[in-house]
Amino acid sequence: MGNARSSTILYVALLSLLVLGGSLFTGTGFAASLVIWVAINILLAASFRFVQLIGELNFAIAGFAGVGAYVAGVCTTKLGLPFVVAIVSAALAATLLSLIVGYITLRTKGPYFMLISFAFTEVLRMVYTQIDYIGSNSGMLGVFPPVLLTDYYPTFVVAVVLLSLIVLYKIEQSDFGKVLVAIRNNDAIVQTVGINVHLTKVMCLAISSFVAGICGALLAHANNVISPDDFSFLLAVYTLAYIKVGGESHIAGPILGASVLTLLAQVAMGFGPFEHIFYGAAIVIAVLLMPDGLVGIIRKLLGLPPKPQAAAKH
Amino acid sequence: MEIFGQLFLNSLQISAAYILFSLGLTLIFGVMKVVNFAHGEFFGLVLLLIAILVPWLNSPSVPLVVAYGASGAVSILATMACGWFLYHFAFKKFQRDMVGSFVLSVGLSLLIQGLFLEFFGGVPIKLPDLIEGNLRILGGAITTQRLVLTLIALLVAVTMCWLIAATKLGKSLRAVSEDHEAAMLQGIPYRKTALYGFLIATFLAAIAGALLAPVTVISANVGSDFLIKGFIAIVIGGLGSIPGSIIGSILIAVIESVGGYYFDPSLATLAMFVITMLVLLVRPKGIMGNG
Amino acid sequence: MKNLKQVYATLAFAALASATNVHAQEIIKLGISAPMSGAAAVWGLGMEWTAKQAAEKINLEGGVTVGGKKYNFAVVAYDNKYTAAEGTKVAQNLINRDKVKFIVGGIGTAPISALQSLSERSGVMIFISAWGKSVKGPQFPLTFTQSNTPFEILDPLYKYVLAQNPKAKTVAILNANDASGKEVELVAQKAWAALGVKVLSSNWYERGTTQFQPVAAKLTEQKPDIIDLGVAPPADAGIVLKELGVLGWKGVKVLPVGTSATQLAQIGGAAANGTYMGYAGDYSSSLATPVQQILNQGMLAQFKEPLNPLQVSSYDSVYALKAAMEASNSIDPKKIAAVLPTLVFETSYGKTVFGSKAIYDSPQQMQVPVMITQVQDGKMVELTRIIPEELKARLAAAK
């Protein structure tokens, strides 16, 4: 087990260094945007997957990312606050909201939680369209990273993403992470040991939302324009695609899935309806033919034993 | 007082469409415990096929009614075939896996809508009216066409309810819905029943498409809007419950027409989603649900 | 068996990813950001078509000659779905990925604002048809407007409508709930009030709405004499008109952004008749130039709809661009943008100029005629045509 884990980590670390190194040379061109998108998608997928540790599909991730994006946008454009403040506020706002929402909704499980989180994302999106202060339907313009960072924004984003991934991974490997997985297996038993299952679940969602808030803030400053449609249910679906294709059983899954899908979509497909066809086909193929994603294929290639807990099933 | 008549008529015609839709959705959920997000695409497929066939068939020698009828029949059959195909190659493997089937169906929905857009193009099409004329009922106005279609839709809904309640197939569907293992012990062929359930649901979506073809502006993603509302309807009414889906559909049709009139259509939609969340939190089985 | 499945999966992915890329030659790419699906689809698709016609014609006639070198034009168009989110993606694709330096068509204030925030920074020149005032002005030196907007259309349109319907005293307004709608609504309210018409209500709908009965009911609630449908695109306007007909409302219908009778009549039926439109024109008769008549026939063949000013604007922009490139002898957007306001150039209408400094603080509006038309018996009939005063003056001075 130790060997398998460390080799995958090594693989992932090498990949990350490559990306980080590559991003130093890209400045502000399209390649830079690509690096940023891949990085943010990776983090979003990792954040979504984090909630899968307790066995839930968190479609509200798009909503929390949206909160992060808008808070960061308001900080930068309306309040003129420093960039770092914007990002931190974004993450905190998303976390706060998730604590409240999580406390209420995590009493439900499985398909019900999934549907609630889906409805919640749409409610948030519609709320954004009603608020003129943040531009309602037409969105917020002019969300720029600070001048000093403009050329190094990709590097910054990749660094933040890497850091967050390491933190998420460490939490997953820690005792807390083990409790999360135990909850997914059978939360009644965990309850009997004296652990407050409900609060633990809420914590898990909060951590995921903190990261999602960061993603939203980074995205806002990367695109410079944000609008309600950016954070619809569709964003959560794409995130799900990254995980399904990459594989849920290891944190390398979101990394692989997000990188492969984002790059393929950009390089090979062009634009327009192809985007939907591409992501849709990716999900269908992954779900039907590759239950453990690319990570599963790599495990097979490396001759490693398959991980016992592949997906969150009910 | 005139406005109440109008609102009633608006609610009626909107709910007819949603009822047909949600009947199918709830049936699939009840029997297969599958959340089919791609259900809207059957509806969309029928509409798109009819949109292509009717102008092609309609000519001086082929009256409009025949054109509609033939297109409708062909489209429904084609869609049923697609339904069978999807069942065998996709959904059969994900029965009783609500999460997995949802994910799969979301992917399918994206894929199919993208294909529709690619093959159909972006321009919406409005087909010619089948029946001309307006009526005034209870102080409100409605086109004769919509009234006829609404009545047919309600007829189909009633037939469905009867089917479920009285026939052997209906009883099998209900039995499987409640406890599929016990049903199998009773000798009910689960696989076959699930297939029939899926096909009936597909048929309902297809009929909804055929009935709404003369009155809807048809485009590649016409299925989505109906689908979301259908989902809300069955969640509120109770996943798996036929009467629940009818109640849920009527409820959201009323919210849409009354809320849209007195307040704002987008606020009405917002309200619907909030109610959905509340129902899921407080009474996840819905108004009439038995899970 | 599982192995085989994974092989299939990888193969499937490879197949999915193997679409070939078209590689660029020594050409100048011209971008378009417009809705090409949904209710406004015909606008974007038509705009793309006329731009391609212009590009082909110019290429056939020897291309654009700058600094002794010949360039051909190629049109790259993307669907911005009339939303800010999609407009941002389109902007990034056009400017960052496709390295386009000139945008010859833009529709939708929200997606165009998104485009502009990138284009001005990246030194990209854009010709737009967006109706918001917020996207024009000296702070956007590389932005030019290619067709008429509320500031040019509403005043003469409303005046004409009232002259034909002197008993009309009240109006109910409808608009889509986004940047385009919000900006037009402000201008509309002022314009109606200035003409002594009382605005009974100002209503909004979300783009993507399919059931318009509640909207129609709301509009007719206070029994207005006139209903002003603002920026509702053809498919939406058609449905609203139909529902108004069902409710039995018989009043004066005004659609400032009305571009053709075809979809209105197809969707709205008899209820569409009588609608005054501000954005359509007669390109089939001798009122139009030969060039326009040919374009019109092409549009009819391709889209079963006649040409409208919105769609022909990209054709004219391509020609304006060519003229400015050759006059400034440069393919640098900044140099071209500096020269453009000084030129008199050839378009499908004949000679025209950029002007309207008085309204927008910068001379960036293409001076084209305002045409007021009406749907009669399912067909568009041109009622009157107004040539801008500034254009007349500039042409006279140029002689």
Side-chain angles (χ1 to χ4, degrees), chain B residues 63-142:
Chain B
L64 197 59
V65 182
V66 175
Y68 263 112
S71 318
V74 168
S75 311
I76 293 179
L77 283 172
T79 307
M80 301 282 296
C82 288
W84 183 90
F85 185 80
L86 278 181
Y87 176 79
H88 266 284
F89 288 100
F91 287 105
K92 202 160 73 167
K93 305 188 172 77
F94 285 89
Q95 287 171 111
R96 293 187 302 285
D97 176 7
M98 290 194 264
V99 166
S101 64
F102 181 74
V103 172
L104 174 66
S105 62
V106 163
L108 278 172
S109 166
L110 262 187
L111 172 63
I112 297 175
Q113 271 189 27
L115 288 171
F116 282 169
L117 191 57
E118 186 56 21
F119 289 117
F120 183 68
V123 185
I125 291 189
K126 171 75 175 60
L127 293 170
D129 280 346
L130 192 50
I131 310 170
E132 306 279 342
N134 300 333
L135 295 169
R136 287 207 83 86
I137 303 177
L138 299 173
I142 186 173

Side-chain angles (χ1 to χ4, degrees), chain B residues 6 10 13-14 117 122-124 126 129 134 136 141-143 146 217 225-226 256-257 260-266, chain C residues 36-39 41-42 45 204 206 210-211 213-215 217-218 221 235 239 242-243 245-247 263 266-267:
Chain B
Q6 190 61 54
N10 288 348
Q13 37 182 321
I14 297 177
L117 191 57
V123 185
K126 171 75 175 60
D129 280 346
N134 300 333
R136 287 207 83 86
I142 186 173
T143 62
R146 271 193 184 260
V217 176
D225 185 54
F226 281 90
E256 195 168 320
S257 66
Y261 179 79
Y262 284 112
F263 302 102
D264 196 296
S266 36
Chain C
M36 295 179 181
S37 62
V42 279
L45 292 169
W204 306 93
E206 297 296 317
T210 54
Q211 308 293 333
Q213 297 101 320
V215 167
K218 224 167 166 199
E221 193 188 347
I239 308 178
K242 180 157 206 216
E243 298 298 344
V246 170
L247 290 174
Q263 267 190 309
Q266 190 201 26
I267 299 178

Side-chain angles (χ1 to χ4, degrees), chain A residues 30 37 137-138 223-224 268-269, chain C residues 16-17 85 92 96 121 177 179:
Chain A
F30 187 68
W37 288 336
N137 260 323
S138 316
N223 282 341
N224 312 130
M269 279 292 142
Chain C
L16 209 56
Q92 285 164 344
N96 288 338
R121 265 192 308 146
N177 181 21

